[in-house]
Amino acid sequence: MDFERYRQLLARPDWQTSGHFAAPEIAQWVQHQGSLTQKLQQACQQLSVEVIYQGWQENLSEKISPKSTALEQIWLREVLLKGDGTPWIFAQTTLPQTTVQNVAQYVLQLGEQPIGLWLFKQPMQRISLYWRQDPETGLYARYSDFDLKGYPLQIKELFLAEFPFPA
């Protein structure tokens, strides 16, 4: 697995909110508004999570929200979501320190549990859903901004080549 390449693909700036998908079976996954975790669980016998990295980092990018500061530390969690043992999705979750301290302390103890099962039980709202297709690899990715009780949380998901988009 080339995690550095996956990180680069998720860091690209060319996200979009509209556009044409080559096939509706891809759009139904990439533009899914509900819990992607629950949708994945329905597509396999066993959904598992492999934690690649999690920890505090300096926020070297732009402000995550008007409530966060550019110098605020962020909690970064990177995981592989596997369907029946096959890596399907590389996901990054980013939370500013204020989000963790005020409404999301549980995220630090998720371990090998998918964040979606916890997140979609919270009083939250999806603020935006962006997507992109990498022209070099053809891989699709999605990027969601959430408002969790007034605090920001971001999730980026890269659908890997092994992901079985239904025909």
Side-chain angles (χ1 to χ4, degrees):
M1 305 250 102
D2 188 355
F3 297 116
E4 193 51 44
R5 177 77 173 133
Y6 299 163
R7 289 178 187 110
Q8 290 171 1
L9 291 174
L10 290 178
R12 298 262 172 88
D14 58 339
W15 296 93
Q16 55 193 37
T17 56
S18 61
H20 180 71
F21 282 91
E25 59 269 13
I26 294 173
Q28 71 167 312
W29 284 94
V30 176
Q31 294 181 320
H32 182 66
Q33 291 288 330
S35 168
L36 186 62
T37 301
Q38 289 179 331
K39 191 168 175 67
L40 290 168
Q41 287 177 322
Q42 295 168 2
C44 64
Q45 297 292 314
Q46 172 74 35
L47 181 68
S48 59
V49 174
E50 179 184 337
V51 177
I52 304 305
Y53 172 84
Q54 60 183 359
W56 292 105
Q57 292 194 337
E58 294 298 321
N59 183 11
L60 301 177
S61 62
E62 72 283 349
K63 291 173 66 167
I64 293 176
S65 81
K67 289 187 177 184
S68 68
T69 66
L71 300 176
E72 182 177 20
Q73 285 205 318
I74 58 167
W75 179 260
L76 175 64
R77 172 178 154 94
E78 295 179 329
V79 301
L80 275 179
L81 296 169
K82 298 179 179 181
D84 300 324
T86 302
W88 280 357
I89 293 176
F90 174 73
Q92 290 179 327
T93 302
T94 307
L95 301 94
Q97 189 171 358
T98 52
T99 300
V100 173
Q101 289 172 339
N102 291 287
V103 295
Q105 300 91 344
Y106 181 75
V107 172
L108 303 186
Q109 283 95 35
L110 276 174
E112 295 186 346
Q113 297 298 312
I115 194 169
L117 296 181
W118 171 81
L119 180 62
F120 279 82
K121 291 178 184 170
Q122 306 303 310
M124 64 83 188
Q125 178 181 359
R126 187 187 307 265
I127 302 299
S128 59
L129 176 61
Y130 302 96
W131 68 276
R132 67 181 300 273
Q133 183 181 22
D134 182 61
E136 295 170 28
T137 64
L139 297 178
Y140 285 91
R142 55 187 246 150
Y143 168 25
S144 298
D145 286 310
F146 293 94
D147 179 291
L148 180 62
K149 301 178 192 172
Y151 292 91
L153 179 149
Q154 295 176 341
I155 298 179
K156 293 182 180 180
E157 295 142 330
L158 176 66
F159 292 81
L160 302 177
E162 299 85 359
F163 185 78
F165 285 110

